[in-house]
Amino acid sequence: MNAPEDTSPAKVIPIIPRRDERGERPGELLGSVRSIASRNLQGLTAMLFDNLDDALFDLAEKAASNALQVEYFDGMRELRKKRGLIERMFIDDIAKRIADLGAGRLRERRMLSDSNAPRGELSLVEDAELEESLAVSSMASKAEQRLARNLFALNERLAMLAGGLRFDNALGPLDPGALAQAFRQTLRDLDTGMRVKLIVYKLFDRYVMSGAEAMYEELNLSLAQAGVLPQIRQPAASRTGSGSSPANMAAATGAASVARGSGQTYGEDLAAQADLLTQLGNLLAARRAPGETGMGATLQVGGNYAGGYSAGSAMPLPGPAELLGALTLLQAEIARANLATRNANEAMGEVRHVKADLLDQVSRISGHARARLSEADEDTIDLVSMLFEFILQDRNLPTEMQALLARLQIPYLKVAILDRRLFAQRAHPARRLLDTLADAAKGWSRESDPDLRLLGDVRAVVERLLQDFDDDIDVFERLLKEFGAQLETHRKRAELTELRAAEATRGREKLEHARRSAANVVLDRLQGQNPPQLVRSLLTRPWANYLVLVLLRQGAESPEYRSALHFMDDLLWSFTPKPDAASRQRLRALLPELERSLRLGLATVALQEPDQNRLLEQLNALYRPLLGEAAAEPIADAADAARAQQANQDVETFLPPALEPEPVIALSVPPGSAGPESTVSSEALDGVRALKSGCWFEFCNDDGSRERAKLSWISPISGRYLFVNRRGLKVADKAAAQLAAEIESGHAVLLEEVPLFDRALDAIVERLRNAQTQAIPDHGGA
């Protein structure tokens, strides 16, 4: 009998190794990321350059001088010539960053204003370069704060593709900071003035940075559909206390692309927004006991309302038209009322009783003794009520603005009934308008708005909505455009003032740095020397001031500065003992050169020629004994002797300081060099150092008054933080340790950057969850 034939496949060892599909998959997805990013960025940069010609041409036509007009036209020609190269270099740089990510390499996150100076090194930054750095870092910072949720989700997915690479202190390849760095690099060789460059950056911010949100959404959606972290949990940030603890400071400023909130599992795409609405719907429905509807909820949210009605009630439900009609009547009452003097408690009471007022209106319209609402309408009313309760409790908003914005409850309730997408779409015009009003109000105070112009603009928007809004939601889009134009006018005016404040602060710091450097140099050379008092006064006053001017104008590496130092060495040597003929001969040969250098320096610090001559006469008198010459003959006349003695003693009458009344040498020890950093925690200092320009603080003064200020600029020389109000006027400048101490003590509170609507929804979800937990009955025992 034959043995059965073995039909199992032969064991074949392939010569060519089998491809690892798991290793190929991330490469394919990174290629897709590169394609999507390149396509989007090419379109956005094309839009930028398409509008750049028109912008420069308009500026050239309005130029105040021929020179300025020529500068704009030359810039236009240069940009036309290099447009293709700039676009190609920009896209190639971003593509290289994505390729580096695939290879496990990330570029270190650093301030864009650091330029190429070594870390920790004090260096004088050229004005033009500093201005460029400020513009670039400002637009990157704003974009990171605005797009924090999208960026976090994208970087999490890119990290997964790169094998779990950490982004802790690194710059994501598609972060706004990376886009800004790449674009700045392409403009390095652009042969234009800084004025034209700043216009290019402004349009880059307007078209590329502002349009990048769609690119991030497409990338996140594409990767999620490909199975790369389809559900991402946003990091939680505590809402307790002031919300500005040092541990959360980096998250609040967008430095780590972390959005504040209650830690809900929703992202930026539409699916995540739908998930949020599902959560809200479930939490709102969970308030009701089984079998109850309408206002028969066991858990009252938004205030204490009257008892409800059972589902079996025969009372008809009001239709949308009836409900909107009742809301319109309430809206008219609010528009007519003078609510300017109401306090926060009164405003909160009105917000919480809107549902009861609405039911009264519906009863009058329908003719029923009592009215009831559907579950969906009641949930909508409660949700809007909780939104405006949050506004009245929001630390970001001044109390005047809280009360003003609270008047919009009825119009927004009408929008929520007319268009349920209000809570689902961040781009909804009504939602964007409220976010814009709140963002403008964040930095408002009566001190920064003495003519109450911004307050009047916000009040005008509120009043127009109360008077004009019926059922046309397009009115929100129109008001958003009008208010945005007004804000742009305020912003441009404030930017100029803010730039002047930064320039003035930078100038003072450069002067102080130069003075300290000059003082230390003079002290170092006087160490161990014992020159005559006249020579000591000469070096510590006018010559030290001359060193300061040379440092500011030419720099520490200039021939002029080296020559000034050489003069000090020669002058001090010239007053040492000369025991032999050779040293005396050398001194005699050196004196003409010393006189020439001294006259040049003294003339630079504006010492008049007669005073120079008197100084040289006294120096010559000191040189005579050193040269072996006879001293001057005694003065026989008593009056002449007294005058000579007075001249010798009062040398400072012809050695006036060139810059300030006190000697430069007084600044030999840098102020604040000891002590303050040891009084604050390293966590607080790290939080402060993670701050970026553009974030807002509320400061509590010693007298109890509060002041709001924006972090405008961080000095690359001293590391001090410059704060301005919303008009761009300087409020304060603080050292890092001082700011950290104020935050720890509660005298400084970092205001949140997340848009108002997002923060409110986070708070509402957290509130409903907490209420649901507390409402669960205890069945543990009888």
Side-chain angles (χ1 to χ4, degrees):
M1 190 172 180
N2 295 332
E5 183 179 354
D6 185 5
T7 58
S8 62
K11 295 182 179 179
V12 179
I13 301 175
I15 298 176
I16 301 175
R18 194 174 288 174
R19 292 183 298 179
D20 187 351
E21 294 182 359
R22 290 175 301 173
E24 265 191 1
R25 182 65 172 163
E28 293 176 3
L29 291 176
L30 283 175
S32 174
V33 168
R34 185 172 59 251
S35 299
I36 293 172
S38 298
R39 171 168 45 79
N40 278 273
L41 292 174
Q42 282 172 353
L44 294 172
T45 50
M47 192 183 308
L48 155 67
F49 281 102
D50 289 344
N51 287 274
L52 187 55
D53 256 16
D54 294 338
L56 289 173
F57 188 82
D58 290 344
L59 289 170
E61 280 192 328
K62 300 172 184 176
S65 65
N66 289 335
L68 192 56
Q69 188 176 60
V70 169
E71 181 180 354
Y72 287 135
F73 280 129
D74 287 347
M76 191 188 310
R77 282 191 293 271
E78 175 74 4
L79 287 161
R80 282 178 180 173
K81 184 171 63 175
K82 294 185 177 178
R83 170 177 176 172
L85 177 63
I86 292 172
E87 290 179 329
R88 186 169 62 255
M89 288 176 62
F90 176 58
I91 300 300
D92 288 348
D93 192 313
I94 298 301
K96 186 176 185 304
R97 290 171 186 261
I98 297 173
D100 287 346
L101 173 71
R105 296 189 299 270
L106 285 173
R107 305 191 191 184
E108 182 183 357
R109 176 178 290 278
R110 60 182 177 86
M111 293 294 290
L112 291 172
S113 56
D114 286 348
S115 186
N116 294 320
R119 185 175 298 276
E121 181 178 305
L122 290 178
S123 60
L124 296 177
V125 183
E126 293 293 337
D127 288 349
E129 185 178 355
L130 182 58
E131 193 172 4
E132 181 181 8
S133 296
L134 286 172
V136 173
S137 60
S138 175
M139 68 179 177
S141 175
K142 288 189 298 183
E144 284 191 350
Q145 293 163 8
R146 180 170 54 85
L147 302 170
R149 290 181 183 273
N150 260 332
L151 288 171
F152 175 80
L154 178 60
N155 283 337
E156 287 289 293
R157 290 180 170 117
L158 292 178
M160 176 65 69
L161 292 180
L165 194 64
R166 301 284 298 176
F167 278 66
D168 291 343
N169 296 309
L171 195 62
L174 292 170
D175 284 1
L179 301 182
Q181 282 183 358
F183 191 71
R184 183 181 186 181
Q185 193 63 33
T186 65
L187 300 187
R188 287 290 185 191
D189 299 326
L190 192 64
D191 189 16
T192 64
M194 184 50 60
R195 194 191 313 270
V196 173
K197 268 192 178 182
L198 291 177
I199 294 167
V200 177
Y201 285 130
K202 184 174 182 179
L203 292 182
F204 183 82
D205 187 20
R206 179 179 301 172
Y207 292 105
V208 180
M209 290 295 199
S210 297
E213 184 172 9
M215 176 183 72
Y216 295 136
E217 289 180 347
E218 183 179 354
L219 286 167
N220 274 315
L221 183 60
S222 174
L223 292 174
Q225 290 175 344
V228 182
L229 298 179
Q231 293 292 332
I232 290 181
R233 175 174 292 276
Q234 296 282 343
S238 174
R239 280 194 171 273
T240 60
S242 66
S244 62
S245 63
N248 294 328
M249 204 165 295
T253 59
S257 298
V258 175
R260 281 188 177 270
S262 58
Q264 304 309 313
T265 57
Y266 58 90
E268 191 69 16
D269 53 24
L270 292 178
Q273 286 292 296
D275 181 55
L276 169 64
L277 290 183
T278 301
Q279 290 185 55
L280 280 172
N282 293 336
L283 289 168
L284 288 167
R287 299 173 306 156
R288 303 183 181 88
E292 287 189 328
T293 61
M295 295 187 66
T298 58
L299 171 64
Q300 297 294 336
V301 180
N304 296 318
Y305 305 111
Y309 300 87
S310 66
S313 172
M315 192 177 303
L317 297 174
E322 196 174 8
L323 204 56
L324 289 172
L327 287 170
T328 299
L329 293 175
L330 289 177
Q331 180 176 315
E333 291 179 7
I334 294 174
R336 289 193 299 268
N338 180 15
L339 303 178
T341 58
R342 66 176 181 169
N343 58 38
N345 289 332
E346 292 171 338
M348 182 66 79
E350 291 164 3
V351 165
R352 288 177 170 172
H353 285 86
V354 160
K355 182 154 60 175
D357 295 338
L358 177 60
L359 285 170
D360 289 341
Q361 286 288 353
V362 171
S363 295
R364 285 196 287 268
I365 292 174
S366 63
H368 295 290
R370 286 184 173 182
R372 69 187 185 97
L373 299 170
S374 68
E375 291 183 9
D377 288 337
E378 184 183 357
D379 287 347
T380 300
I381 294 168
D382 286 346
L383 194 54
V384 173
S385 294
M386 286 186 281
L387 167 66
F388 281 87
E389 284 182 38
F390 176 84
I391 288 175
L392 284 168
Q393 297 168 339
D394 185 17
R395 180 65 178 270
N396 268 30
L397 298 174
T399 53
E400 294 95 329
M401 291 292 188
Q402 288 176 346
L404 192 55
L405 294 181
R407 299 185 67 192
L408 292 175
Q409 182 181 7
I410 297 298
Y412 273 80
L413 180 51
K414 291 172 69 175
V415 174
I417 291 173
L418 286 166
D419 187 357
R420 304 283 179 176
R421 294 174 299 176
L422 173 65
F423 292 97
Q425 292 184 352
R426 283 188 173 87
H428 195 285
R431 182 165 172 171
R432 287 165 52 214
L433 178 61
L434 189 58
D435 283 340
T436 302
L437 290 169
D439 189 61
K442 179 169 60 177
W444 180 87
S445 67
R446 287 189 175 271
E447 293 75 19
S448 65
D449 189 22
D451 55 0
L452 303 182
R453 182 174 301 178
L454 178 62
L455 184 66
D457 291 342
V458 175
R459 181 179 288 115
V461 172
V462 172
E463 290 176 352
R464 283 189 58 184
L465 280 174
L466 288 171
Q467 294 169 4
D468 299 345
F469 175 54
D470 187 14
D471 56 5
D472 180 15
I473 297 180
D474 289 342
V475 70
F476 289 89
E477 188 71 51
R478 293 193 295 271
L479 287 174
L480 179 61
K481 289 180 180 178
E482 293 175 14
F483 186 67
Q486 294 167 344
L487 283 184
E488 183 69 10
T489 301
H490 293 312
R491 187 190 61 78
K492 288 180 178 178
R493 190 181 299 115
E495 269 186 356
L496 292 174
T497 307
E498 187 176 340
L499 183 60
R500 294 191 193 103
E503 288 174 346
T505 304
R506 182 173 67 247
R508 282 194 297 272
E509 289 203 347
K510 289 172 69 175
L511 174 60
E512 290 175 5
H513 180 64
R515 288 173 66 84
R516 281 195 292 272
S517 298
N520 289 331
V521 164
V522 173
L523 283 177
D524 182 61
R525 278 163 170 75
L526 288 175
Q527 189 74 27
Q529 301 278 354
N530 189 27
Q533 179 59 38
L534 177 64
V535 176
R536 181 177 291 273
S537 297
L538 167 65
L539 292 179
T540 58
R541 300 195 67 147
W543 199 257
N545 285 321
Y546 173 62
L547 289 176
V548 171
L549 292 179
V550 173
L551 280 172
L552 291 174
R553 293 173 181 174
Q554 281 86 27
E557 302 300 324
S558 64
E560 292 85 356
Y561 187 68
R562 289 195 295 269
S563 176
L565 298 181
H566 187 61
F567 167 81
M568 287 196 297
D569 295 334
D570 287 343
L571 182 66
L572 290 171
W573 175 86
S574 70
F575 283 98
T576 58
K578 305 295 181 290
D580 52 53
S583 59
R584 289 193 292 272
Q585 182 61 32
R586 180 187 168 194
L587 174 60
R588 197 180 301 277
L590 182 62
L591 288 178
E593 179 63 24
L594 287 175
E595 179 179 349
R596 185 192 66 79
S597 297
L598 182 59
R599 284 189 179 275
L600 174 63
L602 295 178
T604 302
V605 295
L607 196 66
Q608 299 299 317
E609 188 172 355
D611 292 332
Q612 295 180 32
N613 293 334
R614 291 174 61 195
L615 174 60
L616 288 168
E617 287 175 7
Q618 293 206 17
L619 287 175
N620 287 330
L622 295 174
Y623 280 125
R624 288 191 187 101
L626 294 171
L627 293 170
E629 300 175 358
E633 296 181 1
I635 301 175
D637 183 79
D640 290 342
R643 283 194 297 272
Q645 183 180 7
Q646 177 64 28
N648 286 329
Q649 292 175 350
D650 195 18
V651 294
E652 294 189 3
T653 58
F654 57 89
L655 292 179
L659 298 176
E660 294 186 7
E662 70 275 4
V664 172
I665 218 71
L667 291 175
S668 57
V669 179
S673 60
E677 291 204 5
S678 62
T679 64
V680 296
S681 67
S682 59
E683 184 186 26
L685 276 174
D686 291 342
V688 167
R689 287 168 183 152
L691 292 172
K692 293 185 178 181
S693 57
C695 59
W696 282 87
F697 275 82
E698 183 178 68
F699 294 101
C700 181
N701 300 319
D702 294 336
D703 59 0
S705 63
R706 296 187 176 274
E707 195 167 28
R708 291 177 179 241
K710 181 180 73 172
L711 175 57
S712 171
W713 177 67
I714 303 173
S715 169
I717 296 175
S718 67
R720 292 183 70 85
Y721 293 71
L722 173 67
F723 291 92
V724 299
N725 62 20
R726 63 169 301 276
R727 289 195 296 160
L729 297 174
K730 178 180 175 180
V731 170
D733 67 285
K734 301 175 182 290
Q738 178 187 1
L739 181 58
E742 291 183 8
I743 290 172
E744 285 197 322
S745 66
H747 285 83
V749 177
L750 178 65
L751 302 180
E752 294 187 84
E753 296 295 327
V754 179
L756 170 68
F757 225 104
D758 286 344
R759 289 186 288 112
L761 291 179
D762 287 346
I764 290 170
V765 170
E766 183 177 3
R767 173 181 172 180
L768 289 172
R769 281 184 168 172
N770 291 339
Q772 184 181 31
T773 302
Q774 295 169 7
I776 296 175
D778 185 7
H779 299 290

